Amino acid sequence: MKIRIENRIAKVVQNAEILDKRAYFTLDVDGVVKRKNMNYTIPGMVFCEDDSIFNTILEKESNKIEREKEKKIDRLSNISLEKLKDNFVKLVVKGEIEFSKRYGKELALRNSEEFLKVLFNLSLMDNPEFNKPLMALAMKEILNSVGWIDEIGYLVISYFTKQKYDLNALENALETETVLSNDIENLSLVAYKKVLNAYSYKNEKKYKNILNTEILKNEEKEMSEIEKQILKNIKF
């Protein structure tokens, strides 16, 4: 996997400005909500074995109309680790990308494991259908393989920040013991479970109940070729 990431990272960095989206969530005056799907380029870079499928998704997701000019992400000195973590969570959930990326970078460079724990926890808070756990899993492999890269870190944090949080399931989840099924074929739920098993979380019982509720819905979804490839590589 490390070699795969190293071979593809230059292509993604080169196209980073046209891989982001100005917004993943919009709301109009009539109350019509529109959400754009996650860009699979970064998870594909990590988990898709087939180069042709990866190249296809990279080309498909590169959109010059959505170009977001990237700026250098400055470091934040003289801030404690705990303050970095606390502020990063608040800024991401509030949707403030400019400060989120700075706190995220500083945290990742200061302590990559703590950064991943926070990122994983943030991914579990949200609606599983938004696939933030999958993006978090990809970021972990990237950090472990090539370290922090501004363009990649920005794209990950941008998705976490711009895809506005849906905390309804978390707010209503019960803190009861739950036994989870191992028979899951849904990509977003497999990724959610893998992230859930990665660390211990204060809200672990709630997260398990969120996942169990989604599993019980038993909604089969048709997957694209890149989703099939990714699922094959992350499945338990």
PDB file of all heavy atoms in Angstrom, residues 201-217:
ATOM      1  N   TYR A 201     -13.487   5.081  22.598  1.00  0.00           N
ATOM      2  CA  TYR A 201     -14.144   6.379  22.517  1.00  0.00           C
ATOM      3  C   TYR A 201     -15.104   6.557  23.692  1.00  0.00           C
ATOM      4  O   TYR A 201     -15.731   5.595  24.131  1.00  0.00           O
ATOM      5  CB  TYR A 201     -14.950   6.512  21.218  1.00  0.00           C
ATOM      6  CG  TYR A 201     -14.158   6.276  19.963  1.00  0.00           C
ATOM      7  CD1 TYR A 201     -14.124   5.013  19.366  1.00  0.00           C
ATOM      8  CD2 TYR A 201     -13.435   7.305  19.359  1.00  0.00           C
ATOM      9  CE1 TYR A 201     -13.404   4.788  18.199  1.00  0.00           C
ATOM     10  CE2 TYR A 201     -12.713   7.084  18.195  1.00  0.00           C
ATOM     11  CZ  TYR A 201     -12.698   5.821  17.616  1.00  0.00           C
ATOM     12  OH  TYR A 201     -11.983   5.608  16.473  1.00  0.00           O
ATOM     13  N   LYS A 202     -15.209   7.779  24.163  1.00  0.00           N
ATOM     14  CA  LYS A 202     -16.151   8.066  25.246  1.00  0.00           C
ATOM     15  C   LYS A 202     -17.572   7.730  24.816  1.00  0.00           C
ATOM     16  O   LYS A 202     -18.385   7.238  25.619  1.00  0.00           O
ATOM     17  CB  LYS A 202     -16.057   9.549  25.637  1.00  0.00           C
ATOM     18  CG  LYS A 202     -16.941   9.925  26.823  1.00  0.00           C
ATOM     19  CD  LYS A 202     -16.730  11.379  27.226  1.00  0.00           C
ATOM     20  CE  LYS A 202     -17.615  11.725  28.423  1.00  0.00           C
ATOM     21  NZ  LYS A 202     -17.425  13.146  28.844  1.00  0.00           N
ATOM     22  N   ASN A 203     -17.909   7.988  23.566  1.00  0.00           N
ATOM     23  CA  ASN A 203     -19.255   7.729  23.047  1.00  0.00           C
ATOM     24  C   ASN A 203     -19.361   6.377  22.341  1.00  0.00           C
ATOM     25  O   ASN A 203     -20.231   6.182  21.494  1.00  0.00           O
ATOM     26  CB  ASN A 203     -19.664   8.829  22.059  1.00  0.00           C
ATOM     27  CG  ASN A 203     -20.176  10.072  22.753  1.00  0.00           C
ATOM     28  OD1 ASN A 203     -20.696  10.005  23.856  1.00  0.00           O
ATOM     29  ND2 ASN A 203     -20.022  11.205  22.100  1.00  0.00           N
ATOM     30  N   GLU A 204     -18.515   5.441  22.706  1.00  0.00           N
ATOM     31  CA  GLU A 204     -18.442   4.171  21.982  1.00  0.00           C
ATOM     32  C   GLU A 204     -19.786   3.452  21.921  1.00  0.00           C
ATOM     33  O   GLU A 204     -20.174   2.924  20.870  1.00  0.00           O
ATOM     34  CB  GLU A 204     -17.403   3.266  22.642  1.00  0.00           C
ATOM     35  CG  GLU A 204     -17.077   2.031  21.832  1.00  0.00           C
ATOM     36  CD  GLU A 204     -15.790   1.378  22.283  1.00  0.00           C
ATOM     37  OE1 GLU A 204     -14.806   2.102  22.538  1.00  0.00           O
ATOM     38  OE2 GLU A 204     -15.777   0.142  22.381  1.00  0.00           O
ATOM     39  N   LYS A 205     -20.530   3.417  23.002  1.00  0.00           N
ATOM     40  CA  LYS A 205     -21.829   2.732  23.012  1.00  0.00           C
ATOM     41  C   LYS A 205     -22.804   3.414  22.059  1.00  0.00           C
ATOM     42  O   LYS A 205     -23.586   2.752  21.361  1.00  0.00           O
ATOM     43  CB  LYS A 205     -22.403   2.689  24.432  1.00  0.00           C
ATOM     44  CG  LYS A 205     -21.647   1.767  25.382  1.00  0.00           C
ATOM     45  CD  LYS A 205     -22.275   1.762  26.762  1.00  0.00           C
ATOM     46  CE  LYS A 205     -21.527   0.824  27.691  1.00  0.00           C
ATOM     47  NZ  LYS A 205     -22.098   0.830  29.059  1.00  0.00           N
ATOM     48  N   LYS A 206     -22.766   4.738  22.034  1.00  0.00           N
ATOM     49  CA  LYS A 206     -23.645   5.471  21.111  1.00  0.00           C
ATOM     50  C   LYS A 206     -23.263   5.179  19.660  1.00  0.00           C
ATOM     51  O   LYS A 206     -24.127   4.970  18.805  1.00  0.00           O
ATOM     52  CB  LYS A 206     -23.566   6.974  21.383  1.00  0.00           C
ATOM     53  CG  LYS A 206     -24.235   7.411  22.673  1.00  0.00           C
ATOM     54  CD  LYS A 206     -24.264   8.932  22.765  1.00  0.00           C
ATOM     55  CE  LYS A 206     -25.025   9.395  23.998  1.00  0.00           C
ATOM     56  NZ  LYS A 206     -25.131  10.866  24.060  1.00  0.00           N
ATOM     57  N   TYR A 207     -21.967   5.166  19.383  1.00  0.00           N
ATOM     58  CA  TYR A 207     -21.521   4.896  18.021  1.00  0.00           C
ATOM     59  C   TYR A 207     -21.936   3.494  17.581  1.00  0.00           C
ATOM     60  O   TYR A 207     -22.338   3.287  16.429  1.00  0.00           O
ATOM     61  CB  TYR A 207     -20.002   5.042  17.919  1.00  0.00           C
ATOM     62  CG  TYR A 207     -19.478   6.441  18.174  1.00  0.00           C
ATOM     63  CD1 TYR A 207     -18.210   6.655  18.705  1.00  0.00           C
ATOM     64  CD2 TYR A 207     -20.237   7.562  17.866  1.00  0.00           C
ATOM     65  CE1 TYR A 207     -17.715   7.929  18.926  1.00  0.00           C
ATOM     66  CE2 TYR A 207     -19.761   8.846  18.089  1.00  0.00           C
ATOM     67  CZ  TYR A 207     -18.490   9.020  18.630  1.00  0.00           C
ATOM     68  OH  TYR A 207     -18.006  10.284  18.852  1.00  0.00           O
ATOM     69  N   LYS A 208     -21.849   2.545  18.478  1.00  0.00           N
ATOM     70  CA  LYS A 208     -22.261   1.171  18.144  1.00  0.00           C
ATOM     71  C   LYS A 208     -23.753   1.119  17.840  1.00  0.00           C
ATOM     72  O   LYS A 208     -24.185   0.399  16.935  1.00  0.00           O
ATOM     73  CB  LYS A 208     -21.917   0.225  19.286  1.00  0.00           C
ATOM     74  CG  LYS A 208     -20.440  -0.120  19.380  1.00  0.00           C
ATOM     75  CD  LYS A 208     -20.164  -1.118  20.497  1.00  0.00           C
ATOM     76  CE  LYS A 208     -18.691  -1.495  20.525  1.00  0.00           C
ATOM     77  NZ  LYS A 208     -18.380  -2.461  21.616  1.00  0.00           N
ATOM     78  N   ASN A 209     -24.536   1.878  18.583  1.00  0.00           N
ATOM     79  CA  ASN A 209     -25.972   1.907  18.333  1.00  0.00           C
ATOM     80  C   ASN A 209     -26.313   2.602  17.012  1.00  0.00           C
ATOM     81  O   ASN A 209     -27.238   2.208  16.307  1.00  0.00           O
ATOM     82  CB  ASN A 209     -26.700   2.578  19.500  1.00  0.00           C
ATOM     83  CG  ASN A 209     -27.041   1.605  20.611  1.00  0.00           C
ATOM     84  OD1 ASN A 209     -27.901   0.745  20.448  1.00  0.00           O
ATOM     85  ND2 ASN A 209     -26.355   1.715  21.737  1.00  0.00           N
ATOM     86  N   ILE A 210     -25.555   3.639  16.688  1.00  0.00           N
ATOM     87  CA  ILE A 210     -25.734   4.296  15.397  1.00  0.00           C
ATOM     88  C   ILE A 210     -25.464   3.301  14.274  1.00  0.00           C
ATOM     89  O   ILE A 210     -26.243   3.165  13.326  1.00  0.00           O
ATOM     90  CB  ILE A 210     -24.801   5.516  15.267  1.00  0.00           C
ATOM     91  CG1 ILE A 210     -25.242   6.639  16.214  1.00  0.00           C
ATOM     92  CG2 ILE A 210     -24.777   6.028  13.819  1.00  0.00           C
ATOM     93  CD1 ILE A 210     -24.262   7.794  16.296  1.00  0.00           C
ATOM     94  N   LEU A 211     -24.353   2.581  14.385  1.00  0.00           N
ATOM     95  CA  LEU A 211     -23.989   1.606  13.369  1.00  0.00           C
ATOM     96  C   LEU A 211     -25.010   0.485  13.274  1.00  0.00           C
ATOM     97  O   LEU A 211     -25.429   0.081  12.180  1.00  0.00           O
ATOM     98  CB  LEU A 211     -22.600   1.038  13.664  1.00  0.00           C
ATOM     99  CG  LEU A 211     -22.080  -0.044  12.706  1.00  0.00           C
ATOM    100  CD1 LEU A 211     -22.088   0.456  11.263  1.00  0.00           C
ATOM    101  CD2 LEU A 211     -20.685  -0.486  13.117  1.00  0.00           C
ATOM    102  N   ASN A 212     -25.441  -0.017  14.428  1.00  0.00           N
ATOM    103  CA  ASN A 212     -26.407  -1.106  14.442  1.00  0.00           C
ATOM    104  C   ASN A 212     -27.734  -0.688  13.790  1.00  0.00           C
ATOM    105  O   ASN A 212     -28.358  -1.465  13.061  1.00  0.00           O
ATOM    106  CB  ASN A 212     -26.662  -1.566  15.879  1.00  0.00           C
ATOM    107  CG  ASN A 212     -27.374  -2.896  15.943  1.00  0.00           C
ATOM    108  OD1 ASN A 212     -26.975  -3.858  15.298  1.00  0.00           O
ATOM    109  ND2 ASN A 212     -28.441  -2.967  16.719  1.00  0.00           N
ATOM    110  N   THR A 213     -28.145   0.549  14.036  1.00  0.00           N
ATOM    111  CA  THR A 213     -29.369   1.059  13.422  1.00  0.00           C
ATOM    112  C   THR A 213     -29.248   1.072  11.903  1.00  0.00           C
ATOM    113  O   THR A 213     -30.183   0.692  11.181  1.00  0.00           O
ATOM    114  CB  THR A 213     -29.668   2.488  13.918  1.00  0.00           C
ATOM    115  OG1 THR A 213     -29.878   2.455  15.336  1.00  0.00           O
ATOM    116  CG2 THR A 213     -30.916   3.055  13.250  1.00  0.00           C
ATOM    117  N   GLU A 214     -28.080   1.484  11.407  1.00  0.00           N
ATOM    118  CA  GLU A 214     -27.862   1.519   9.959  1.00  0.00           C
ATOM    119  C   GLU A 214     -27.812   0.102   9.380  1.00  0.00           C
ATOM    120  O   GLU A 214     -28.322  -0.148   8.287  1.00  0.00           O
ATOM    121  CB  GLU A 214     -26.557   2.263   9.640  1.00  0.00           C
ATOM    122  CG  GLU A 214     -26.590   3.745   9.964  1.00  0.00           C
ATOM    123  CD  GLU A 214     -27.616   4.490   9.132  1.00  0.00           C
ATOM    124  OE1 GLU A 214     -27.729   4.214   7.919  1.00  0.00           O
ATOM    125  OE2 GLU A 214     -28.315   5.348   9.699  1.00  0.00           O
ATOM    126  N   ILE A 215     -27.210  -0.834  10.123  1.00  0.00           N
ATOM    127  CA  ILE A 215     -27.130  -2.220   9.653  1.00  0.00           C
ATOM    128  C   ILE A 215     -28.527  -2.820   9.541  1.00  0.00           C
ATOM    129  O   ILE A 215     -28.853  -3.521   8.575  1.00  0.00           O
ATOM    130  CB  ILE A 215     -26.255  -3.073  10.610  1.00  0.00           C
ATOM    131  CG1 ILE A 215     -24.793  -2.633  10.526  1.00  0.00           C
ATOM    132  CG2 ILE A 215     -26.371  -4.555  10.261  1.00  0.00           C
ATOM    133  CD1 ILE A 215     -23.897  -3.283  11.563  1.00  0.00           C
ATOM    134  N   LEU A 216     -29.366  -2.538  10.538  1.00  0.00           N
ATOM    135  CA  LEU A 216     -30.717  -3.111  10.564  1.00  0.00           C
ATOM    136  C   LEU A 216     -31.605  -2.580   9.440  1.00  0.00           C
ATOM    137  O   LEU A 216     -32.591  -3.210   9.077  1.00  0.00           O
ATOM    138  CB  LEU A 216     -31.369  -2.846  11.929  1.00  0.00           C
ATOM    139  CG  LEU A 216     -30.756  -3.605  13.116  1.00  0.00           C
ATOM    140  CD1 LEU A 216     -31.397  -3.165  14.415  1.00  0.00           C
ATOM    141  CD2 LEU A 216     -30.902  -5.116  12.931  1.00  0.00           C
ATOM    142  N   LYS A 217     -31.258  -1.408   8.903  1.00  0.00           N
ATOM    143  CA  LYS A 217     -32.018  -0.886   7.763  1.00  0.00           C
ATOM    144  C   LYS A 217     -31.884  -1.802   6.550  1.00  0.00           C
ATOM    145  O   LYS A 217     -32.785  -1.899   5.719  1.00  0.00           O
ATOM    146  CB  LYS A 217     -31.524   0.517   7.393  1.00  0.00           C
ATOM    147  CG  LYS A 217     -31.932   1.596   8.375  1.00  0.00           C
ATOM    148  CD  LYS A 217     -31.399   2.944   7.894  1.00  0.00           C
ATOM    149  CE  LYS A 217     -31.737   4.068   8.846  1.00  0.00           C
ATOM    150  NZ  LYS A 217     -31.168   5.377   8.398  1.00  0.00           N
TER     151      LYS A 217
END
